[in-house]
């Protein structure tokens, strides 16, 4: 949609084989922008999503669109998919974002998909969020994000998926990770993101 787009079909993109013994959907890395990318790092088509783990529309995409995206496109080596955190709700979003990055690249996308799938049990706990926000507003960031993680049930959630509670609480207080997510959100804002999900295809 929009002016100036060519109607001439582009040349077909060839599939590219994954490294021996691997699938492209299993190739995950942290990016210089502090997102996480799945697939062929040299894929000619690069899809970037700025999303929030507490965003219902992001959840709808994840629950209906992620498997086709992975199985049809990422698996072919033609497309890479990068997820970048965007704190559309502010402090509450930091809790799942920090915990979702807690175990590194390998579990990043399975944990992301699990968090979206669990939204029907998590999002009702956001009711009364403004009152809880006022209650924790004066806390230092790490304590505030931990309080939100407890309020929304995310510490138990990641414990059930192999992240020990001590590690989870350390991740919620990880200043480097907090700074990375803050910079990532600023980058999104600079690129024109005003809501979630926002998608960029080859930078557009």
């Amino acid at each position: 949609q929009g002016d100036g787009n060519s109607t001439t079909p582009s040349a077909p993109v060839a599939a590219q084989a994954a490294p021996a013994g691997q699938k492209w959907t299993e190739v995950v890395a942290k990016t210089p922008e502090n997102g996480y990318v799945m697939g062929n790092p040299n894929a000619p088509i690069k899809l970037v999503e700025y999303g929030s783990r507490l965003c219902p529309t992001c959840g709808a995409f994840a629950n209906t669109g992620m498997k086709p995206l992975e199985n049809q496109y990422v698996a072919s080596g033609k497309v890479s998919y990068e997820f970048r955190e965007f704190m559309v709700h502010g402090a509450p979003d930091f809790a799942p974002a920090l915990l979702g990055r807690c175990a590194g690249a390998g579990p990043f996308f399975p944990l992301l998909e699990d968090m979206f799938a669990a939204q029907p049990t998590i999002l009702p706990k956001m009711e009364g969020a403004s009152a809880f926000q006022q209650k924790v507003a004066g806390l230092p960031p790490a304590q505030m994000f931990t309080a939100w993680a407890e309020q929304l049930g995310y510490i138990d959630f990641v414990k059930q998926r192999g992240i020990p509670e001590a590690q989870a609480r350390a991740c919620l207080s990880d200043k480097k990770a907090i700074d990375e997510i803050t910079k990532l959100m600023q980058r999104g804002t600079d690129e024109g993101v005003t809501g979630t999900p926002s998608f960029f295809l080859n930078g557009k």
Side-chain angles (χ1 to χ4, degrees):
Q1 188 174 0
D3 297 327
N5 292 329
S6 171
T7 56
T8 306
S10 57
V13 175
Q16 299 182 36
Q22 284 187 296
K23 299 176 181 178
W24 280 128
T25 52
E26 298 169 349
V27 177
V28 178
K30 191 175 180 181
T31 67
E33 294 79 15
N34 294 317
Y36 280 84
V37 64
M38 174 200 300
N40 177 7
N42 299 313
I45 301 170
K46 300 182 187 301
L47 179 66
V48 173
E49 175 186 359
Y50 282 92
S52 152
R53 295 167 193 252
L54 292 171
C55 155
T57 312
C58 303
F61 167 71
N63 293 331
T64 60
M66 272 306 298
K67 287 306 176 189
L69 174 64
E70 291 176 18
N71 296 337
Q72 295 178 36
Y73 298 102
V74 176
S76 72
K78 299 178 183 183
V79 180
S80 65
Y81 167 71
E82 180 180 351
F83 184 83
R84 298 179 180 177
E85 315 282 351
F86 194 81
M87 310 292 98
V88 73
H89 302 101
D93 277 319
F94 270 91
L98 288 163
L99 292 172
R101 301 159 70 91
C102 193
F108 180 87
F109 284 102
L111 199 50
L112 178 68
E113 291 179 37
D114 279 359
M115 286 182 171
F116 282 130
Q119 279 188 351
T121 59
I122 298 288
L123 293 181
K125 298 174 184 176
M126 285 286 286
E127 293 178 12
S130 57
F132 188 77
Q133 181 69 54
Q134 290 176 355
K135 180 180 175 182
V136 301
L139 296 175
Q143 290 182 34
M144 186 187 303
F145 304 151
T146 300
W148 273 110
E150 293 169 345
Q151 170 75 4
L152 299 175
Y154 276 121
I155 293 177
D156 286 339
F157 182 89
V158 297
K159 278 170 62 178
Q160 293 165 5
R161 288 156 179 81
I163 298 176
E165 182 169 345
Q167 181 182 347
R169 291 185 179 279
C171 287
L172 289 162
S173 303
D174 185 343
K175 186 177 185 306
K176 182 184 176 192
I178 293 169
D179 288 346
E180 286 178 353
I181 293 173
T182 303
K183 289 176 183 175
L184 192 53
M185 184 172 178
Q186 183 59 55
R187 183 185 183 93
T189 301
D190 293 344
E191 291 182 358
V193 176
T194 56
T196 56
S198 288
F199 293 95
F200 289 79
L201 194 61
N202 287 353
K204 295 183 181 179

